[in-house]
Amino acid sequence: MFYQTRAKNLTVLLVLGGLALYAVYGGYFAREIVVEIALLAMLAIALDLVAGYGGMISLCHGALFGIGAYLFGGLTALVGTPVWLATLAALAGTALFGWAVGAVTAGIGGIFFIMATLAFGQMAYVIVFEWRALGGDDGLAGIPRTDLAGIGLDTGDSLTFALLSLAALALSYTIAAIALRSSFGRTLTGIHANEERMRALGLNVRRHKAAAFALSAAIAGAAGLLAAQHTQYISPEYLVWTVSGEALIVVILGGIGTLAGPLVGAVVFVALEHVVARFTDYWHLVIGILLIAAVMAGGRGLYGEIERLLAPGPGTGKGGDGA
Amino acid sequence: MLEVRDLSKKFGGLEVSRGVSLDVAPGERRVLLGPNGAGKTTLFNLIAGTLKPDCGTIRLDGSDITGMTVNQRARRGLARSFQKNNLFEGLSVRDNLALAVATGEGRTGSLLACAHDSAATLTQLAEIAAQVGLSAHLDWPVAHCSYGVRRQLEIGLALATRPRLLLLDEPTSGIGPEGVAAFNALIASLPRHLAMIIIEHDLDLAFSIADRISVLSEGVVVFEGTPETTRHSRQVRELYLGAFDD
Ligand SMILES: Nc1ncnc2c1ncn2[C@@H]1O[C@H](COP(=O)(O)OP(=O)(O)OP(=O)(O)O)[C@@H](O)[C@H]1O
Ligand SMILES: [Mg+2]
């Protein structure tokens, strides 16, 4: 069961606060990194919702991220849809796709579930890649950012955009936390713990899984549409399955089934990517070693270690909230 | 309440149910006897919807539920406990019961409110916990509970949805004489309008809790009657040879 504990509060506030300070006092490069972390963390939160709490290890979250980006990019750059409407359409469209994935895969377990989500992701990738109007391999440019001049914000400014990305991350975490704390989230945890029993108690498991996947997809899509606004250019690279793999690495590294862990995982992942890559080409090796350490240390990842430091006691340091 | 007609089920070449018919009246307490492998659990799986019959029909309160899913049947007031404990392993006893109560009430979809913490749920949870003797164990993780406690929780989960028809599959298996006495008291304390089918191997317990008894053997109902007539049935005595005498 999910509880927004003191350790989670502290972790989330430290990560958000630290990143905000880094964005404010760092230069342009620092702000780019902050955006990268914030969007990766949003994607990881979306994945943790279904994987850590619902037991649905998805390999299509990269595709959901890409679908959000392409729906937003396509509508604004090609159709000329207003940004606010394109945002709503991108969120709704990604949620719908996620709902379909959840509904179709609800009866599938284990490795076959992972393969089925991978197939959905590849399908989306191929469609985007082959769709000439979307630019195919060349990608799609000319994507606008949200215009917030009305409230005195210039989203073209790197600091403003970095802080807005952090706000979006905070909002995503809050939505996920509220959903997990609700009847909906408790029920999802119940499905993870014992699907057959939930059915025997009267739950329509397929419908619930589909709804959870839709919510998760909407958060992943939000990250994607912000990424499209950030670079103002998108390519099918977003939908490649390795993006899903990276998201899963971030979740496991940070602590699967902890919700706060994905934030920590995203910070460490992006930091290693940039810092370690400066010294050696083998930064994936470093990530790999960390990943093994995280799994060996009880499966609660980096967040598990933070929890042990902040709130030592029984019940910490082993397994996720969802298990 | 429940009308089972000519249910048949094959696993490959093995006919596990062969034209089973069974009628349970509202509020009736039916005990299902039968040797190992007779097809008792399979019959439960057919009634609960876990298995689809090859032919035959199942009616609940007059409506045909043969084509319904497990959860649709549960929503209509059917609950079951499992022969092998089937709990929410990683969670506490309290969270186990809360899931069952909230799901039984259909309060699973709210994204904002948490039915598990509502006063109504907590009241019902406390009531169920007291009934099955788990009041002192609510905060225990299920994984740390003894077999007997887990067995009580198995029944608690089935009761928590406030069913109208309750299927209990060997509720007293492996819990010792004290547990059997507690179970006997539990059944006696349950409201009379709750209909039940109980698979039971303990004949004394069966005779004391049953309104009627059905005996299943090799997928066929070979006997049905009151505890008194069952006690004197030659057929039953042959199946349970030496198990009881009078
Ligand atoms: N899913 C299945 N696939 C194949 N055979 C099965 C399946 N389920 C049960 N059987 C077989 O059907 C027969 C009846 O099994 P069932 O579990 O219904 O018996 P039972 O009366 O509940 O026995 P027990 O008292 O041992 O619990 C057994 O021979 C069993 O091996
Ligand atoms: Mg059995």
Side-chain angles (χ1 to χ4, degrees):
Chain A
M1 291 291 158
F2 173 85
Y3 294 101
Q4 182 59 32
T5 55
R6 202 174 65 96
K8 285 193 169 74
N9 281 334
L10 277 169
T11 305
V12 172
L13 288 177
L14 278 176
V15 169
L16 289 174
L19 288 175
L21 287 176
Y22 186 50
V24 170
Y25 294 106
Y28 174 79
F29 183 64
R31 291 161 192 168
E32 292 299 291
I33 287 187
V34 167
V35 174
E36 196 183 329
I37 292 174
L39 302 186
L40 182 59
M42 278 171 72
L43 182 61
I45 283 174
L47 181 56
D48 198 22
L49 194 63
V50 285
Y53 291 90
M56 295 177 273
I57 308 287
S58 152
L59 267 185
C60 71
H61 269 60
L64 297 171
F65 183 86
I67 290 170
Y70 264 91
L71 279 173
F72 180 82
L75 284 171
T76 50
L78 297 176
V79 185
T81 311
V83 167
W84 67 270
L85 190 58
T87 302
L88 288 183
L91 292 178
T94 330
L96 191 66
F97 186 84
W99 183 87
V101 175
V104 171
T105 59
I108 310 174
I111 189 75
F112 298 107
F113 175 85
I114 301 178
M115 290 297 120
T117 57
L118 183 63
F120 266 103
Q122 291 302 94
M123 208 170 70
Y125 172 74
V126 169
I127 290 173
V128 167
F129 193 87
E130 297 292 337
W131 196 335
R132 291 312 309 163
L134 293 177
D137 204 8
D138 296 334
L140 190 64
I143 300 165
R145 288 186 178 179
T146 312
D147 186 358
L148 293 177
I151 54 169
L153 292 176
D154 173 16
T155 49
D157 171 57
S158 63
L159 177 59
T160 307
F161 197 86
L163 294 179
L164 281 175
S165 300
L166 286 178
L169 170 59
L171 184 65
S172 302
Y173 182 89
T174 309
I175 289 172
I178 290 173
L180 286 173
R181 188 73 193 76
S182 69
S183 302
F184 181 85
R186 300 293 183 104
T187 305
L188 186 63
T189 313
I191 292 175
H192 187 188
N194 190 340
E195 190 171 321
E196 182 190 22
R197 191 75 198 220
M198 285 308 282
R199 218 173 263 127
L201 291 170
L203 182 75
N204 186 332
V205 169
R206 183 179 298 273
R207 195 197 300 165
H208 208 85
K209 281 186 168 180
F213 227 99
L215 177 65
S216 168
I219 296 175
L225 76 88
L226 284 174
Q229 290 194 24
H230 179 224
T231 47
Q232 304 190 275
Y233 160 82
I234 49 180
S235 78
E237 292 282 295
Y238 280 29
L239 291 94
V240 177
W241 73 274
T242 50
V243 178
S244 308
E246 267 179 21
L248 196 55
I249 289 173
V250 168
V251 169
I252 294 172
L253 186 65
I256 188 166
T258 65
L259 201 65
L263 277 77
V264 182
V267 170
V268 171
F269 188 90
V270 174
L272 283 177
E273 182 181 347
H274 287 284
V275 177
V276 180
R278 221 178 287 163
F279 304 106
T280 158
D281 287 338
Y282 297 113
W283 75 276
H284 274 112
L285 193 66
V286 178
I287 289 278
I289 291 168
L290 266 177
L291 199 59
I292 292 169
V295 171
M296 303 268 285
R300 248 175 118 79
L302 294 167
Y303 175 74
E305 301 309 310
I306 296 173
E307 204 174 46
R308 226 199 300 271
L309 288 174
L310 293 177
T316 59
K318 265 253 165 206
D321 301 336
Chain B
M1 160 112 260
L2 180 74
E3 295 165 52
V4 171
R5 284 285 165 277
D6 302 319
L7 277 194
S8 294
K9 180 72 190 174
K10 272 190 197 172
F11 293 117
L14 185 66
E15 287 186 86
V16 178
S17 298
R18 299 187 291 158
V20 174
S21 295
L22 192 75
D23 280 278
V24 177
E28 180 183 335
R29 289 158 185 203
R30 176 73 59 101
V31 167
L32 194 57
L33 294 176
N36 290 78
K40 304 181 296 296
T41 299
T42 302
L43 179 59
F44 269 18
N45 286 335
L46 290 169
I47 296 173
T50 319
L51 291 173
K52 295 274 168 258
D54 299 329
C55 60
T57 55
I58 307 161
R59 292 175 162 275
L60 187 64
D61 287 328
S63 51
D64 191 339
I65 60 164
T66 319
M68 287 188 185
T69 60
V70 172
N71 48 289
Q72 284 169 333
R73 297 179 198 207
R75 297 295 299 147
R76 287 181 166 245
L78 200 155
R80 72 173 302 186
S81 77
F82 293 82
Q83 180 168 357
K84 188 169 168 288
N85 287 338
N86 197 356
L87 312 170
F88 299 104
E89 284 299 332
L91 308 179
S92 67
V93 170
R94 184 193 311 278
D95 285 339
N96 267 262
L97 288 171
L99 271 171
V101 171
T103 309
E105 289 172 341
R107 297 173 66 184
T108 55
S110 170
L111 276 168
L112 297 174
C114 183
H116 294 211
D117 301 334
S118 74
T121 302
L122 293 177
T123 311
Q124 197 185 335
L125 192 157
E127 200 177 296
I128 301 289
Q131 266 178 336
V132 295
L134 288 175
S135 301
H137 301 95
L138 286 177
D139 291 319
W140 289 28
V142 164
H144 296 178
C145 293
S146 68
Y147 177 81
V149 169
R150 296 159 63 86
R151 202 72 192 136
Q152 284 160 273
L153 181 57
E154 176 63 40
I155 298 168
L157 290 183
L159 269 178
T161 57
R162 292 197 192 277
R164 287 177 303 125
L165 174 63
L166 180 61
L167 311 178
L168 299 176
D169 196 344
E170 301 195 18
T172 63
S173 72
I175 58 171
E178 241 171 79
V180 171
F183 177 76
N184 204 339
L186 166 67
I187 295 296
S189 77
L190 291 174
R192 271 316 309 197
H193 57 77
L194 172 59
M196 303 178 211
I197 308 178
I198 304 167
I199 298 175
E200 184 51 68
H201 282 303
D202 181 329
L203 292 175
D204 288 329
L205 179 65
F207 291 143
S208 99
I209 60 181
D211 296 323
R212 291 180 74 75
I213 291 178
S214 295
V215 181
L216 204 62
S217 176
E218 295 177 0
V220 179
V221 178
V222 293
F223 177 89
E224 190 186 315
T226 61
E228 200 51 28
T229 53
T230 310
R231 204 187 277 278
H232 298 105
S233 152
R234 261 194 61 193
Q235 223 169 351
V236 177
R237 220 181 299 184
E238 276 163 15
L239 275 173
Y240 280 82
L241 199 66
F244 71 106
D245 52 339
D246 67 332

